[in-house]
Amino acid sequence: MALERLKRFAQGFLPTPAEAAAIRWRTPAVVDRGRIGEARVALDRHGRGVLLWENAGKLWTMPMGPGASPALMRLPFGEGTTPRLAVNPEGRGLAIWLADGEDERQILGAVLGPGEGPGRGMFRTVGRIHQLQVAVDRRGNALVAWVHERVGQIEVMAHAFNTRGEAWDEEPVLLGLPGDPSASPQLAANRREHAMVVWEAQNSVFEGLMACHYWPADRIWSDRPVPVVAHAARHHQVAMDDSGNALALWVHAPYGQRSLLEASFYEALHGEWSEPVVLASAHVMSSPRLVMNGDGEALAAWSQRENAGVSRLLVKAFKGRAWEPGAECLDHGHEPVQDYAIDLAEDGRAGFVVVQRGAAGDQVSVRIREDGWSLPRTMGSAPGSVCAAPRIALSPQGASLIWIQGEGEGRSLVLTDSH
């Protein structure tokens, strides 16, 4: 009996494959209504975390996890838009967001947890800010990246937060000048403080993806970007494992030719990107997603379509520093896909949520992968209306799923989590 109890404790709250999509989800609940903006959810390894969202220019937060989610305890977080959230497996986290003043815009940040204070300003500008992102390491140190657009110049910028003294660096760092506001920098970081930012560059000298690396020992960024691939690469994604190895994923669409989904592997030991490999080819390729855990396991997902055919969502696994053969189709039926999200937990469990449009309205469904992908389970629907912005967060002992339902001032933020 004692051995069985020990086994159950070691397994935590993980469901068996047959249960994964069948019985572990709570009934979806509406968290908030109104002019719902962007929302983010993040969990630690114990399934505890936080939900952060915007409603009509004000930010709200809610604790997640055992004993917290059913209460739906909304707490005001301040004024702002574009919330971003990062929580590490140990439960340390940081929230950042944008706030408008009379003649400027600024980025604010706040450490999450008991006794959290008001947001501190970390960057001010009269220009515009795009592609705001944040990542935290095991100590709770954070990196923030964004595109700064001002008259005559586009900049990729980064800023660091140090838990020692709970202070931001004096000034943000300029990583590069991509020349295009759609440069879309992607921030990847691991628990051991390594990080990189990858963005699209297009000028008279170079077209492709550039990467800038962060050196944690010196808390500095590399003095010049290095090329990842030297041809047009759109909709790129990047992710990193705990050894500092990384994957980049993008769409290469040569004029008049089939679109290609390509990937490259960065080996931290040698500091080099591999030659690109083609993962898939189709008439139309779009919406790539990439997730990676600390052990170096990864999942790539994307949408592809042949001519006037139906778009399909596919997923391909990366393990042992190599892509596994074949890809699996994860959507179901022939309803058009509106949006989707994926996540990958530390223990290798994966989750996939998709919004599909039917004749009676949008529908949200989820699949969980353990030994294999479960059958899709319908989590919610919007008869005669729409669903949008699905997000899923997984940990070894929990899972949370959110989406936005409805339109205009009648939107609802919907939450469900496992138990």
Side-chain angles (χ1 to χ4, degrees), residues 125-274:
T125 180
V126 295
R128 301 180 63 192
I129 296 170
H130 309 280
Q131 304 295 327
L132 186 63
Q133 298 162 77
V134 61
V136 294
D137 65 21
R138 60 184 173 181
R139 292 185 174 92
N141 299 319
L143 291 172
V144 181
W146 67 92
V147 169
H148 179 212
E149 181 182 357
R150 55 181 177 174
V151 177
Q153 189 160 283
I154 307 298
E155 304 170 326
V156 175
M157 307 192 75
H159 207 24
F161 174 82
N162 193 339
T163 54
R164 295 178 181 176
E166 295 193 355
W168 294 94
D169 288 353
E170 291 185 8
E171 296 290 339
V173 176
L174 174 62
L175 303 184
L177 302 169
D180 189 333
S182 64
S184 186
Q186 297 293 315
L187 170 64
N190 65 17
R191 296 174 55 208
R192 297 177 179 174
E193 305 179 41
H194 297 91
M196 68 172 66
V197 172
V198 175
W199 68 89
E200 301 165 22
Q202 186 175 8
N203 52 48
S204 59
V205 178
F206 180 84
E207 181 178 18
L209 294 180
M210 303 294 291
C212 199
H213 293 256
Y214 184 76
W215 308 109
D218 302 308
R219 294 186 60 80
I220 60 173
W221 291 90
S222 51
D223 56 0
R224 69 174 186 269
V226 298
V228 178
V229 61
H231 61 232
R234 309 296 293 178
H235 311 299
H236 67 283
Q237 302 274 291
V238 63
M240 180 182 288
D241 67 18
D242 283 345
S243 298
N245 304 313
L247 277 173
L249 180 75
W250 64 87
V251 174
H252 179 44
Y255 180 76
Q257 301 179 43
R258 292 172 65 82
S259 295
L260 305 174
L261 183 71
E262 297 182 336
S264 179
F265 179 72
Y266 175 80
E267 188 174 17
L269 181 62
H270 298 103
E272 295 179 349
W273 289 92
S274 69

Side-chain angles (χ1 to χ4, degrees), residues 18 23 56 59 61 88 102-103 108 111 127 129 169 173 191 214 313 322 339 364 367 396 404:
I23 62 172
L59 298 176
T61 186
N88 67 14
E102 292 183 3
D103 55 359
L108 293 96
V111 177
I129 296 170
D169 288 353
V173 176
R191 296 174 55 208
Y214 184 76
L313 281 175
D339 200 358
V364 180
R367 300 178 76 168
I404 295 172

